[in-house]
Amino acid sequence: MKDLENSLPLDIGRAEFAQVLREVQPYLEHVLSTLDQGPAAALDTTQGELLAKELTKSPSQTGEPLPHVLRELFESALTCTYNTASGRYLAYIPGGGLPTAAIADMIAGVINRYVTVWVASPGLVQLEQNTIRWMADLIGLGQAAGGLLTTGGSMANFSAVVTAREERLDGPLESGVIYVSEQVHHSVTKAAKLAGIRAEHVVAIPTNETMQLCIDSLIQQLGVDRAQGLRPFMIVGSAGTTNTGAIDNLDRLADIADKEGLWFHVDAAYGGFFLLCPEVRGAFQGIDRADSVTLDPHKGMFLPYGTGALVVREREALVRAHDVGADYLPETGVDASRVDFSTMGPELSRSFRGLRVWLPLQLHGEISFQRALSHKLVLAQNVHTRIDSWPHVSLVSGSRLSVRAFRCAPPGLSLHAIDALNKDWLSAVNRRQRTHLSGTRIGGAFVLRVAILNFRTQESHIEVALDDLESTLNELLQAL
């Protein structure tokens, strides 16, 4: 067996491969066993800059010993990071990263089969298609539905905007108008820019007191824009906004889209998989009427980053928007039962993403995901109840899911001073490094957020976060 202290050949044998796995395994076991140790997020920017400079170098010409490479990765490069896999990480939208999905990625990388056209791997394409079918059924889109897995919600939203443009924009590109909530995820705005829609024609509709897109304002804006000769073609509803977890009135948005002949897209990247939970499923009423829906399995299914999905009511709409042939490609579209992912999105070369969705579903079962998500709803309600009891602290209304946004506003302080107080509050909590939260702005005001979407997050993690929030707030209020 080759000595791994020397450089490895590209085509390693079974024995060398087994030894590599043995060398890597202790590091991975250590990561999993110490997720609740150390800081929830390494916040030392100066140290991070020094680390990045130390790691700046060209690849080795002759190869380096595996132990040295692993030490550099796990003991150096992995430091100074947000510990996003930890149950204590409650910032932005957390990503747990199921180990079973990591196993699927290793399998997919080793077998390295091409799944972008059906003829290359019919069975593997079918496994990936099964995951899309499961998502379409979860949403309720019907038997003509289809879609594809993407690198994330940003790419899914991009393909949705392109498809809407091709299917509904009857006229010059520069006259097309998209309507979004002022709480929409920025990836939708970016998608519109990349699809050639003028920035001023991505119209942000105000939200109401529950942080939902205001229906009356939308109807009024539609009339104004049509009177000016513009061509509305798309409405984007949110099913779980990043800021507060709010869900737009999807049924009313679907009514308007039907009446006006517009494409109705729902960005459910964060919230969509809560459809598995009976206790909140009613909040999504109308999502089954969408023309397209973005989902992020790397959020609600706890998979590794880089796993998004776009599901559409009519699979052929994706094909009409994206398919471009070439002489060197196998013939596509031969049979409706054959799914060629290359015809439905911008990618021709893509990884076998379906395995990281399919394998965990097969191993854990749908019920495991439902129970985990329901548990996050309970934890979020516990946060809500506790925070709501603190003096001068108010929660931003609108959340039905696992995000809570809140703000301390003592009487007698200016808006600027209140913002400063809340920023200091967030910094004080994060400096303790036992948990990690993030902030945002809603209506121009700075607020703190607790986002619970990691299968590892338990009551004990939430208690630590709440204790740190309460004690730091008391210290700040006493200092006023």
Side-chain angles (χ1 to χ4, degrees), residues 264-280:
F264 179 34
H265 175 66
V266 176
D267 182 0
Y270 155 55
F273 287 106
F274 282 100
L275 283 163
L276 290 167
C277 304
E279 60 268 41
V280 293

Side-chain angles (χ1 to χ4, degrees), residues 234-355:
M234 184 181 194
I235 297 174
V236 180
S238 299
T241 60
T242 298
N243 275 344
T244 67
I247 302 172
D248 288 333
N249 189 330
L250 304 179
D251 226 13
R252 288 295 310 279
L253 293 179
D255 288 341
I256 295 169
D258 285 347
K259 180 181 178 181
E260 299 286 341
L262 311 182
W263 185 275
F264 179 34
H265 175 66
V266 176
D267 182 0
Y270 155 55
F273 287 106
F274 282 100
L275 283 163
L276 290 167
C277 304
E279 60 268 41
V280 293
R281 187 174 177 88
F284 294 87
Q285 183 176 342
I287 195 171
D288 58 325
R289 300 172 61 190
D291 293 296
S292 55
V293 178
T294 287
L295 296 166
D296 264 355
H298 64 210
K299 293 185 176 75
M301 287 186 70
F302 323 117
L303 302 184
Y305 293 123
T307 321
L310 176 64
V311 187
V312 297
R313 170 177 304 283
E314 184 192 355
R315 189 181 77 189
E316 289 306 305
L318 280 181
V319 176
R320 288 192 293 269
H322 292 87
D323 189 21
V324 176
D327 291 339
Y328 48 78
L329 292 175
E331 186 177 6
T332 61
V334 176
D335 188 309
S337 65
R338 298 184 181 185
V339 175
D340 296 293
F341 294 122
S342 64
T343 67
M344 295 190 288
E347 294 178 297
L348 180 59
S349 298
R350 62 191 292 276
S351 64
F352 181 20
R353 299 189 189 106
L355 195 60

Side-chain angles (χ1 to χ4, degrees), residues 29-40:
E29 291 175 349
H30 177 74
V31 168
L32 292 176
S33 64
T34 59
L35 286 172
D36 278 352
Q37 301 173 19

Side-chain angles (χ1 to χ4, degrees), residues 169-172 175-179 225-226 229-234:
L169 179 51
D170 180 20
S175 66
V177 182
I178 298 174
Y179 301 93
D225 290 342
R226 288 200 186 280
L230 299 177
R231 297 178 181 271
F233 71 95
M234 184 181 194

